[in-house]
Amino acid sequence: MEPYKKPEKGNLANVTQRLVQHILGMSFEERRDLLLRLESADVEKQKDKRKGPRIPYLAEVDFVVDERVYKGMILDISEDGARIAACDIPPAGAEVRMAFPLPGSRKAHVRMAGLVVRDADRDFGVAFNRGLNPDLRRYDVRILGCPDLKQNLPES
């Protein structure tokens, strides 16, 4: 067995070749486990990028991707994004426009735009272009339950 040789810095071709050789020597189960570990690490990195906490918030949402309208359900929301369940999942990188009801209101809606940052089998993550809509930030925070959203709340 050859001793371990650390790849040269900046030699992408060598690193890629060695990775491919290792992967080709793995069984299907080993490859699947490796993929799961790599993708789990990506999810953890995404969690670290969040600025605020996720708040459970079930609401119907209409969203538009490439001028086509879809329906889904917001599962949770934060100041910088939302997780949406839907039958039709847009691919990561797609631009999304969406509208959903303000908490506690059936008539008033929030309109947001964002970018799909994660796509999965049954849901997808959207990063809002400009952070949480000010209307949602100051509306019924008891339903949202997040102290960070209480800023800009009118005095009662």
Side-chain angles (χ1 to χ4, degrees):
M1 182 175 196
E2 292 182 33
Y4 175 76
K5 182 179 176 189
K6 189 173 181 176
E8 298 172 30
K9 265 192 171 180
N11 192 340
L12 180 61
N14 181 263
V15 170
T16 304
Q17 178 186 14
R18 288 176 62 183
L19 280 170
V20 169
Q21 286 173 343
H22 283 289
I23 292 168
L24 291 174
M26 294 177 165
S27 68
F28 172 77
E29 289 80 15
E30 290 171 324
R31 291 178 191 187
R32 188 185 61 213
D33 292 345
L34 175 61
L35 180 61
L36 180 62
R37 284 196 308 262
L38 290 170
E39 288 177 344
S40 294
D42 286 344
V43 168
E44 289 303 314
K45 286 179 190 175
Q46 282 295 92
K47 286 180 184 176
D48 293 342
K49 291 180 182 179
R50 272 192 208 105
K51 296 173 188 165
R54 282 185 171 193
I55 302 150
Y57 176 58
L58 289 177
E60 286 187 15
V61 60
D62 295 322
F63 61 96
V64 177
V65 178
D66 293 329
E67 304 307 316
R68 186 166 170 216
V69 179
Y70 301 90
K71 288 199 171 288
M73 197 71 155
I74 294 178
L75 302 175
D76 57 53
I77 195 166
S78 69
E79 289 207 22
D80 52 331
R83 184 168 58 108
I84 299 171
C87 292
D88 295 305
I89 305 296
E95 291 185 19
V96 177
R97 294 187 327 264
M98 64 193 85
F100 54 91
L102 282 168
S105 172
R106 292 184 184 190
K107 294 180 183 177
H109 280 70
V110 175
R111 297 191 190 292
M112 299 292 296
L115 189 68
V116 175
V117 292
R118 182 189 58 78
D119 57 354
D121 290 339
R122 297 185 180 132
D123 64 11
F124 62 98
V126 175
F128 297 144
N129 288 346
R130 292 189 208 130
L132 194 63
N133 184 299
D135 289 336
L136 188 57
R137 184 175 281 153
R138 69 173 178 264
Y139 199 79
D140 199 345
V141 293
R142 290 167 305 173
I143 294 171
L144 292 176
C146 178
D148 293 343
L149 297 176
K150 291 182 182 177
Q151 54 189 312
N152 302 327
L153 188 68
E155 295 293 324
S156 19

